Amino acid sequence: MARILKDYPGISLKPEDFDGTVNLFRIFGRLGPVHIEVGSGKGTFLLNQARAQPSDNFLGIEWARRYYRYAVDRVGRWGLTNVRVIRTDAAGFIAESLPDDSVDCFHIYFPDPWPKKRHHKRRFICPANVEHLIRCLKTAGQLRIATDHADYFEQIKRVIAAESDRLEPIDFIRPAGAEAGEWAGTNFERKYIKDQRPIYTLAVKRT
Ligand SMILES: C[S@@+](CC[C@H](N)C(=O)[O-])C[C@H]1O[C@@H](n2cnc3c(N)ncnc32)[C@H](O)[C@@H]1O
């Protein structure tokens, strides 16, 4: 039987609550390093990392209502107070609502690959979105990306390499929830590992 998902108003943010630029201090009710996961799915990364780093603040951005509700329910049941989840389009939210120099790390694990060529323009990692990610990162803030899709990974590397004056390669740090043989420890990675797909990762920091 499907679980009844509970809303937790302190965790679930609504785009209509924001008028213009988001105030991250107000969202979390405190200062602290800010991590943002783009496409947080069922919230597994958020849960494990937020529990491992209780002094840091985590915001998940998820478009799909079903995953968003699932993640909010899990965060609430785990009793985590340092996680918020918003249901919206990450590209628009970051471009229009996120302040400059405000984020310590963007986590982008298994973004939709849009494999058909005519759909490549929908891929999240593209020059316009990376421009905003850089704008929002603090100095030395990081971007951590994982994908199972070789062609998308080539695009990711090209887009990031074009910003080599502002983004410097660093080691990819595996999140707290990653188990042996995993890079990110997310639900999609676990499916892809079962299918024996290779996983590609990349991490950079803003200079
Ligand atoms: C392949 S899943 C990966 C989910 C999770 N990161 C994981 O690894 O298990 C991609 C997720 O990104 C979400 N997504 C796709 N485009 C998005 C967008 N523009 N804004 C926010 N979320 C998006 C999808 O709904 C989906 O949950």
Side-chain angles (χ1 to χ4, degrees):
M1 201 172 71
R3 196 171 71 222
I4 308 245
L5 302 178
K6 196 172 157 197
D7 188 23
Y8 291 82
I11 295 166
S12 57
L13 300 177
K14 309 282 181 285
E16 54 272 23
D17 295 341
F18 308 116
D19 186 15
T21 306
V22 153
N23 181 330
L24 290 165
F25 173 77
R26 195 172 306 152
I27 285 179
F28 291 103
R30 63 176 191 173
L31 290 172
V34 172
H35 297 253
I36 294 188
E37 185 181 17
V38 171
S40 43
K42 291 184 172 179
T44 300
F45 162 78
L46 295 171
L47 293 170
N48 289 306
Q49 202 66 24
R51 188 152 71 177
Q53 291 176 235
S55 330
D56 291 9
N57 299 320
F58 291 83
L59 173 63
I61 311 175
E62 174 52 53
W63 176 248
R65 183 174 159 72
R66 189 166 57 97
Y67 286 151
Y68 156 77
R69 291 193 60 219
Y70 195 92
V72 168
D73 176 76
R74 287 177 89 192
V75 172
R77 283 189 295 110
W78 280 42
L80 294 166
T81 57
N82 57 338
V83 183
R84 305 288 181 270
V85 189
I86 183 167
R87 185 192 161 232
T88 193
D89 164 47
F93 177 80
I94 291 167
E96 288 155 29
S97 304
L98 210 53
D100 298 356
D101 302 309
S102 59
V103 177
D104 292 81
C105 189
F106 283 104
H107 302 263
I108 307 173
Y109 302 132
F110 306 93
D112 287 340
W114 296 106
K116 290 183 182 155
K117 198 166 172 79
R118 69 175 187 280
H119 291 154
H120 284 185
K121 56 182 178 296
R122 299 184 190 174
R123 288 175 169 174
F124 180 79
I125 304 290
C126 64
N129 289 344
V130 167
E131 183 63 38
H132 280 291
L133 295 176
I134 296 171
R135 173 184 65 74
C136 296
L137 279 176
K138 298 176 184 171
T139 302
Q142 300 185 11
L143 185 52
R144 298 184 199 164
I145 303 171
T147 179
D148 65 306
H149 198 274
D151 178 70
Y152 193 6
F153 191 57
E154 289 306 313
Q155 171 172 331
I156 292 168
K157 283 194 292 185
R158 272 197 309 278
V159 173
I160 298 294
E163 297 295 343
S164 59
D165 53 336
R166 295 189 288 172
L167 295 176
E168 179 185 315
I170 53 172
D171 288 341
F172 180 90
I173 299 172
R174 297 178 335 132
E179 292 170 5
E182 297 177 345
W183 284 96
T186 65
N187 293 62
F188 272 81
E189 183 182 38
R190 287 177 182 154
K191 276 192 229 172
Y192 297 151
I193 286 177
K194 272 193 198 140
D195 294 344
Q196 301 196 314
R197 297 202 213 170
I199 307 294
Y200 309 93
T201 62
L202 179 150
V204 286
K205 71 172 182 188
R206 197 192 125 181
T207 54

